[in-house]
mmCIF file of all heavy atoms in Angstrom:
data_model
loop_
_atom_site.group_PDB
_atom_site.id
_atom_site.type_symbol
_atom_site.label_atom_id
_atom_site.label_comp_id
_atom_site.label_asym_id
_atom_site.label_seq_id
_atom_site.Cartn_x
_atom_site.Cartn_y
_atom_site.Cartn_z
ATOM 1 N N LEU Z 1 0.837 -1.233 0.004
ATOM 2 C CA LEU Z 1 -0.020 -0.028 0.010
ATOM 3 C C LEU Z 1 0.867 1.272 -0.003
ATOM 4 O O LEU Z 1 0.628 2.175 -0.756
ATOM 5 C CB LEU Z 1 -0.943 -0.012 1.207
ATOM 6 C CG LEU Z 1 -1.799 1.228 1.386
ATOM 7 C CD1 LEU Z 1 -2.796 1.402 0.189
ATOM 8 C CD2 LEU Z 1 -2.574 1.175 2.695
ATOM 9 N N SER Z 2 1.948 1.254 0.779
ATOM 10 C CA SER Z 2 2.775 2.429 0.839
ATOM 11 C C SER Z 2 3.501 2.669 -0.498
ATOM 12 O O SER Z 2 3.655 3.793 -0.945
ATOM 13 C CB SER Z 2 3.812 2.357 1.950
ATOM 14 O OG SER Z 2 4.782 1.314 1.719
ATOM 15 N N GLY Z 3 3.901 1.553 -1.160
ATOM 16 C CA GLY Z 3 4.507 1.700 -2.489
ATOM 17 C C GLY Z 3 3.493 2.237 -3.448
ATOM 18 O O GLY Z 3 3.849 3.031 -4.340
ATOM 19 N N TRP Z 4 2.236 1.744 -3.380
ATOM 20 C CA TRP Z 4 1.195 2.239 -4.279
ATOM 21 C C TRP Z 4 0.920 3.775 -4.059
ATOM 22 O O TRP Z 4 0.828 4.501 -5.015
ATOM 23 C CB TRP Z 4 -0.082 1.375 -4.032
ATOM 24 C CG TRP Z 4 -1.187 1.724 -4.929
ATOM 25 C CD1 TRP Z 4 -1.279 1.451 -6.262
ATOM 26 C CD2 TRP Z 4 -2.417 2.329 -4.548
ATOM 27 N NE1 TRP Z 4 -2.537 1.865 -6.745
ATOM 28 C CE2 TRP Z 4 -3.221 2.364 -5.667
ATOM 29 C CE3 TRP Z 4 -2.997 2.796 -3.358
ATOM 30 C CZ2 TRP Z 4 -4.523 2.912 -5.648
ATOM 31 C CZ3 TRP Z 4 -4.250 3.310 -3.275
ATOM 32 C CH2 TRP Z 4 -5.001 3.368 -4.449
ATOM 33 N N ILE Z 5 0.868 4.201 -2.787
ATOM 34 C CA ILE Z 5 0.687 5.580 -2.506
ATOM 35 C C ILE Z 5 1.839 6.477 -3.043
ATOM 36 O O ILE Z 5 1.641 7.553 -3.554
ATOM 37 C CB ILE Z 5 0.493 5.794 -0.981
ATOM 38 C CG1 ILE Z 5 -0.868 5.186 -0.498
ATOM 39 C CG2 ILE Z 5 0.638 7.243 -0.569
ATOM 40 C CD1 ILE Z 5 -1.091 5.109 0.942
ATOM 41 N N ARG Z 6 3.038 5.907 -2.893
ATOM 42 C CA ARG Z 6 4.226 6.626 -3.352
ATOM 43 C C ARG Z 6 4.192 6.775 -4.877
ATOM 44 O O ARG Z 6 4.519 7.834 -5.464
ATOM 45 C CB ARG Z 6 5.484 5.872 -2.915
ATOM 46 C CG ARG Z 6 6.787 6.619 -3.232
ATOM 47 C CD ARG Z 6 8.004 5.985 -2.562
ATOM 48 N NE ARG Z 6 8.107 4.559 -2.650
ATOM 49 C CZ ARG Z 6 7.949 3.741 -1.602
ATOM 50 N NH1 ARG Z 6 7.782 4.229 -0.395
ATOM 51 N NH2 ARG Z 6 8.093 2.406 -1.756
ATOM 52 N N GLN Z 7 3.714 5.752 -5.600
ATOM 53 C CA GLN Z 7 3.590 5.796 -7.066
ATOM 54 C C GLN Z 7 2.512 6.898 -7.496
ATOM 55 O O GLN Z 7 2.708 7.611 -8.457
ATOM 56 C CB GLN Z 7 3.175 4.474 -7.623
ATOM 57 C CG GLN Z 7 4.333 3.526 -7.635
ATOM 58 C CD GLN Z 7 3.940 2.093 -8.136
ATOM 59 O OE1 GLN Z 7 2.669 1.767 -8.181
ATOM 60 N NE2 GLN Z 7 4.846 1.378 -8.527
ATOM 61 N N ILE Z 8 1.391 6.880 -6.767
ATOM 62 C CA ILE Z 8 0.368 7.829 -7.038
ATOM 63 C C ILE Z 8 0.897 9.299 -6.772
ATOM 64 O O ILE Z 8 0.657 10.210 -7.670
ATOM 65 C CB ILE Z 8 -0.929 7.593 -6.221
ATOM 66 C CG1 ILE Z 8 -1.566 6.350 -6.656
ATOM 67 C CG2 ILE Z 8 -1.861 8.763 -6.330
ATOM 68 C CD1 ILE Z 8 -2.744 5.882 -5.778
ATOM 69 N N HIS Z 9 1.564 9.493 -5.730
ATOM 70 C CA HIS Z 9 2.191 10.809 -5.388
ATOM 71 C C HIS Z 9 3.134 11.227 -6.510
ATOM 72 O O HIS Z 9 3.127 12.365 -6.977
ATOM 73 C CB HIS Z 9 2.865 10.737 -4.049
ATOM 74 C CG HIS Z 9 3.587 12.005 -3.647
ATOM 75 N ND1 HIS Z 9 2.893 13.170 -3.303
ATOM 76 C CD2 HIS Z 9 4.885 12.293 -3.560
ATOM 77 C CE1 HIS Z 9 3.836 14.107 -3.099
ATOM 78 N NE2 HIS Z 9 4.997 13.622 -3.256
ATOM 79 N N SER Z 10 3.980 10.267 -6.942
ATOM 80 C CA SER Z 10 4.977 10.596 -8.008
ATOM 81 C C SER Z 10 4.177 10.951 -9.327
ATOM 82 O O SER Z 10 4.640 11.829 -10.056
ATOM 83 C CB SER Z 10 5.907 9.407 -8.233
ATOM 84 O OG SER Z 10 6.681 9.202 -7.136
ATOM 85 N N TYR Z 11 3.148 10.236 -9.562
ATOM 86 C CA TYR Z 11 2.340 10.518 -10.778
ATOM 87 C C TYR Z 11 1.693 11.925 -10.699
ATOM 88 O O TYR Z 11 1.789 12.639 -11.671
ATOM 89 C CB TYR Z 11 1.277 9.442 -10.974
ATOM 90 C CG TYR Z 11 0.390 9.708 -12.189
ATOM 91 C CD1 TYR Z 11 0.844 9.475 -13.446
ATOM 92 C CD2 TYR Z 11 -0.916 10.230 -11.965
ATOM 93 C CE1 TYR Z 11 0.065 9.734 -14.562
ATOM 94 C CE2 TYR Z 11 -1.713 10.500 -13.072
ATOM 95 C CZ TYR Z 11 -1.273 10.236 -14.382
ATOM 96 O OH TYR Z 11 -2.072 10.535 -15.441
ATOM 97 N N LEU Z 12 1.131 12.189 -9.551
ATOM 98 C CA LEU Z 12 0.510 13.488 -9.402
ATOM 99 C C LEU Z 12 1.488 14.663 -9.553
ATOM 100 O O LEU Z 12 1.209 15.631 -10.166
ATOM 101 C CB LEU Z 12 -0.247 13.600 -8.063
ATOM 102 C CG LEU Z 12 -1.446 12.727 -7.821
ATOM 103 C CD1 LEU Z 12 -1.988 12.790 -6.385
ATOM 104 C CD2 LEU Z 12 -2.557 13.100 -8.797
ATOM 105 N N THR Z 13 2.634 14.548 -8.850
ATOM 106 C CA THR Z 13 3.585 15.613 -8.887
ATOM 107 C C THR Z 13 4.494 15.615 -10.115
ATOM 108 O O THR Z 13 4.791 16.635 -10.627
ATOM 109 C CB THR Z 13 4.543 15.502 -7.638
ATOM 110 O OG1 THR Z 13 5.183 14.277 -7.579
ATOM 111 C CG2 THR Z 13 3.701 15.765 -6.387
ATOM 112 N N GLY Z 14 4.850 14.464 -10.633
ATOM 113 C CA GLY Z 14 5.730 14.377 -11.764
ATOM 114 C C GLY Z 14 5.039 14.471 -13.101
ATOM 115 O O GLY Z 14 5.397 15.337 -13.934
ATOM 116 N N ASN Z 15 4.015 13.656 -13.324
ATOM 117 C CA ASN Z 15 3.384 13.652 -14.620
ATOM 118 C C ASN Z 15 2.310 14.755 -14.776
ATOM 119 O O ASN Z 15 2.220 15.366 -15.866
ATOM 120 C CB ASN Z 15 2.700 12.268 -14.881
ATOM 121 C CG ASN Z 15 3.720 11.186 -14.943
ATOM 122 O OD1 ASN Z 15 4.816 11.372 -14.768
ATOM 123 N ND2 ASN Z 15 3.251 9.941 -15.257
ATOM 124 N N LEU Z 16 1.577 15.022 -13.771
ATOM 125 C CA LEU Z 16 0.562 16.019 -13.854
ATOM 126 C C LEU Z 16 0.996 17.410 -13.446
ATOM 127 O O LEU Z 16 0.249 18.392 -13.615
ATOM 128 C CB LEU Z 16 -0.672 15.591 -13.014
ATOM 129 C CG LEU Z 16 -1.377 14.272 -13.387
ATOM 130 C CD1 LEU Z 16 -2.556 13.943 -12.491
ATOM 131 C CD2 LEU Z 16 -1.828 14.297 -14.890
ATOM 132 N N GLY Z 17 2.167 17.464 -12.799
ATOM 133 C CA GLY Z 17 2.696 18.787 -12.380
ATOM 134 C C GLY Z 17 1.989 19.433 -11.198
ATOM 135 O O GLY Z 17 2.142 20.650 -11.008
ATOM 136 N N ILE Z 18 1.275 18.637 -10.388
ATOM 137 C CA ILE Z 18 0.655 19.161 -9.201
ATOM 138 C C ILE Z 18 1.645 19.472 -8.159
ATOM 139 O O ILE Z 18 2.626 18.691 -7.906
ATOM 140 C CB ILE Z 18 -0.470 18.151 -8.730
ATOM 141 C CG1 ILE Z 18 -1.585 18.044 -9.743
ATOM 142 C CG2 ILE Z 18 -0.997 18.581 -7.378
ATOM 143 C CD1 ILE Z 18 -2.564 16.993 -9.448
ATOM 144 N N HIS Z 19 1.504 20.582 -7.486
ATOM 145 C CA HIS Z 19 2.394 20.925 -6.379
ATOM 146 C C HIS Z 19 2.402 19.856 -5.279
ATOM 147 O O HIS Z 19 1.353 19.239 -5.043
ATOM 148 C CB HIS Z 19 2.068 22.282 -5.789
ATOM 149 C CG HIS Z 19 3.151 22.845 -4.904
ATOM 150 N ND1 HIS Z 19 3.204 22.568 -3.593
ATOM 151 C CD2 HIS Z 19 4.146 23.652 -5.165
ATOM 152 C CE1 HIS Z 19 4.247 23.184 -3.022
ATOM 153 N NE2 HIS Z 19 4.886 23.798 -3.964
ATOM 154 N N ILE Z 20 3.532 19.637 -4.626
ATOM 155 C CA ILE Z 20 3.580 18.604 -3.568
ATOM 156 C C ILE Z 20 2.582 18.807 -2.458
ATOM 157 O O ILE Z 20 1.953 17.821 -2.094
ATOM 158 C CB ILE Z 20 5.049 18.614 -3.003
ATOM 159 C CG1 ILE Z 20 6.055 18.071 -4.016
ATOM 160 C CG2 ILE Z 20 5.089 17.774 -1.711
ATOM 161 C CD1 ILE Z 20 7.506 18.189 -3.614
ATOM 162 N N TRP Z 21 2.354 20.009 -2.014
ATOM 163 C CA TRP Z 21 1.450 20.224 -0.977
ATOM 164 C C TRP Z 21 -0.016 19.919 -1.352
ATOM 165 O O TRP Z 21 -0.878 19.533 -0.520
ATOM 166 C CB TRP Z 21 1.546 21.650 -0.407
ATOM 167 C CG TRP Z 21 2.838 21.781 0.379
ATOM 168 C CD1 TRP Z 21 4.003 22.374 -0.044
ATOM 169 C CD2 TRP Z 21 3.145 21.168 1.650
ATOM 170 N NE1 TRP Z 21 4.974 22.289 0.909
ATOM 171 C CE2 TRP Z 21 4.489 21.517 2.012
ATOM 172 C CE3 TRP Z 21 2.432 20.386 2.572
ATOM 173 C CZ2 TRP Z 21 5.088 21.106 3.178
ATOM 174 C CZ3 TRP Z 21 3.080 20.018 3.699
ATOM 175 C CH2 TRP Z 21 4.368 20.358 4.010
ATOM 176 N N ILE Z 22 -0.324 20.187 -2.638
ATOM 177 C CA ILE Z 22 -1.663 19.829 -3.156
ATOM 178 C C ILE Z 22 -1.863 18.327 -3.108
ATOM 179 O O ILE Z 22 -2.927 17.803 -2.777
ATOM 180 C CB ILE Z 22 -1.909 20.450 -4.485
ATOM 181 C CG1 ILE Z 22 -1.967 21.983 -4.428
ATOM 182 C CG2 ILE Z 22 -3.210 19.972 -5.129
ATOM 183 C CD1 ILE Z 22 -2.009 22.724 -5.710
ATOM 184 N N SER Z 23 -0.790 17.610 -3.508
ATOM 185 C CA SER Z 23 -0.841 16.108 -3.463
ATOM 186 C C SER Z 23 -1.064 15.650 -2.040
ATOM 187 O O SER Z 23 -1.883 14.754 -1.806
ATOM 188 C CB SER Z 23 0.453 15.568 -4.019
ATOM 189 O OG SER Z 23 0.476 14.131 -3.916
ATOM 190 N N TYR Z 24 -0.366 16.252 -1.094
ATOM 191 C CA TYR Z 24 -0.577 15.864 0.356
ATOM 192 C C TYR Z 24 -1.999 16.210 0.769
ATOM 193 O O TYR Z 24 -2.640 15.374 1.478
ATOM 194 C CB TYR Z 24 0.382 16.639 1.200
ATOM 195 C CG TYR Z 24 1.835 16.296 1.131
ATOM 196 C CD1 TYR Z 24 2.831 17.178 1.494
ATOM 197 C CD2 TYR Z 24 2.233 15.079 0.591
ATOM 198 C CE1 TYR Z 24 4.191 16.853 1.424
ATOM 199 C CE2 TYR Z 24 3.593 14.677 0.515
ATOM 200 C CZ TYR Z 24 4.486 15.625 0.920
ATOM 201 O OH TYR Z 24 5.873 15.291 0.831
ATOM 202 N N ALA Z 25 -2.532 17.275 0.312
ATOM 203 C CA ALA Z 25 -3.950 17.633 0.649
ATOM 204 C C ALA Z 25 -4.898 16.653 0.026
ATOM 205 O O ALA Z 25 -5.928 16.236 0.682
ATOM 206 C CB ALA Z 25 -4.287 19.050 0.089
ATOM 207 N N ILE Z 26 -4.621 16.161 -1.134
ATOM 208 C CA ILE Z 26 -5.497 15.175 -1.756
ATOM 209 C C ILE Z 26 -5.485 13.858 -0.946
ATOM 210 O O ILE Z 26 -6.514 13.253 -0.675
ATOM 211 C CB ILE Z 26 -5.048 14.876 -3.225
ATOM 212 C CG1 ILE Z 26 -5.352 16.106 -4.139
ATOM 213 C CG2 ILE Z 26 -5.702 13.615 -3.808
ATOM 214 C CD1 ILE Z 26 -4.720 16.038 -5.523
ATOM 215 N N PHE Z 27 -4.274 13.442 -0.538
ATOM 216 C CA PHE Z 27 -4.177 12.209 0.301
ATOM 217 C C PHE Z 27 -4.826 12.410 1.662
ATOM 218 O O PHE Z 27 -5.461 11.517 2.197
ATOM 219 C CB PHE Z 27 -2.716 11.816 0.493
ATOM 220 C CG PHE Z 27 -2.222 11.116 -0.701
ATOM 221 C CD1 PHE Z 27 -1.232 11.673 -1.518
ATOM 222 C CD2 PHE Z 27 -2.609 9.819 -1.024
ATOM 223 C CE1 PHE Z 27 -0.760 11.018 -2.657
ATOM 224 C CE2 PHE Z 27 -2.125 9.112 -2.099
ATOM 225 C CZ PHE Z 27 -1.164 9.787 -2.975
ATOM 226 N N PHE Z 28 -4.713 13.637 2.232
ATOM 227 C CA PHE Z 28 -5.407 13.935 3.495
ATOM 228 C C PHE Z 28 -6.885 13.757 3.350
ATOM 229 O O PHE Z 28 -7.503 13.172 4.196
ATOM 230 C CB PHE Z 28 -4.947 15.333 4.029
ATOM 231 C CG PHE Z 28 -5.739 15.787 5.197
ATOM 232 C CD1 PHE Z 28 -5.362 15.271 6.441
ATOM 233 C CD2 PHE Z 28 -6.792 16.690 5.110
ATOM 234 C CE1 PHE Z 28 -6.095 15.635 7.571
ATOM 235 C CE2 PHE Z 28 -7.471 17.038 6.216
ATOM 236 C CZ PHE Z 28 -7.132 16.544 7.479
#
């Protein structure tokens, strides 16, 4: 699960260009 979450975070920030803090907010 943690690896899956890390992949989603990398996709959001790397591929979609979403700011890191917005990605954290999405997970929150």
Side-chain angles (χ1 to χ4, degrees):
L1 177 63
S2 70
W4 184 69
I5 290 170
R6 190 170 40 249
Q7 287 177 340
I8 292 172
H9 176 71
S10 295
Y11 177 76
L12 291 174
T13 58
N15 294 6
L16 299 181
I18 294 174
H19 192 273
I20 290 173
W21 289 105
I22 294 174
S23 175
Y24 291 158
I26 290 170
F27 282 109
F28 173 77

